[in-house]
Amino acid sequence: QVQLVESGGGSVQAGGSLRLSCAASGDTYNSLCMGWFRRAPGKEREWVATFYRVDGRTYYADSVKGRFTISQDNAKRTVYLQMNTLKPEDTAMYYCAAGDPVSGGYCLSFRYWGQGTQVTVSS
């Protein structure tokens, strides 16, 4: 079985914080790339962050760099997204994703996706 289940979303005021969790099971546990994406109303899906499990390196979109942190707890088979200094433009459905790198170590075309957790940031 393959599962990615997000949790931790909610409504906060601008400047607040939220911590999203993504519990993995099945083949997703063995994935070398773990990522977070989001989709705001009327917009295309946007990449937010990636955790490369091979070496622990992390990557962030410019829009969240310095405010968001992606991490994992292998024992709990969980990846996290700590979101600080939230802005109204961060409002979106957030999705956890898992996959494997292509040649060269690039994380592309995530294979597995969770159902999403809603994050709403008010002014």
Side-chain angles (χ1 to χ4, degrees), residues 38-50:
R38 67 187 182 185
R39 185 169 186 172
K43 295 207 169 189
E44 295 292 323
R45 183 178 62 199
E46 175 189 20
W47 168 72
V48 175
T50 296

Side-chain angles (χ1 to χ4, degrees), residues 35-104:
W36 285 97
F37 294 76
R38 67 187 182 185
R39 185 169 186 172
K43 295 207 169 189
E44 295 292 323
R45 183 178 62 199
E46 175 189 20
W47 168 72
V48 175
T50 296
F51 188 101
Y52 189 48
R53 298 179 66 192
V54 175
D55 57 13
R57 291 178 179 175
T58 58
Y59 307 87
Y60 301 92
D62 289 340
S63 60
V64 306
K65 206 166 191 176
R67 300 187 298 120
F68 291 12
T69 302
I70 187 171
S71 63
Q72 72 166 4
D73 185 333
N74 277 333
K76 296 181 179 180
R77 297 185 178 186
T78 301
V79 62
Y80 304 97
L81 184 68
Q82 178 66 47
M83 306 184 295
N84 298 326
T85 319
L86 284 162
K87 304 175 180 179
E89 51 262 45
D90 293 320
T91 295
M93 183 71 74
Y94 283 72
Y95 300 90
C96 178
D100 292 309
V102 297
S103 298

Side-chain angles (χ1 to χ4, degrees), residues 22-40:
C22 174
S25 63
D27 291 345
T28 58
Y29 177 74
N30 298 315
S31 297
L32 299 180
C33 301
M34 300 297 297
W36 285 97
F37 294 76
R38 67 187 182 185
R39 185 169 186 172

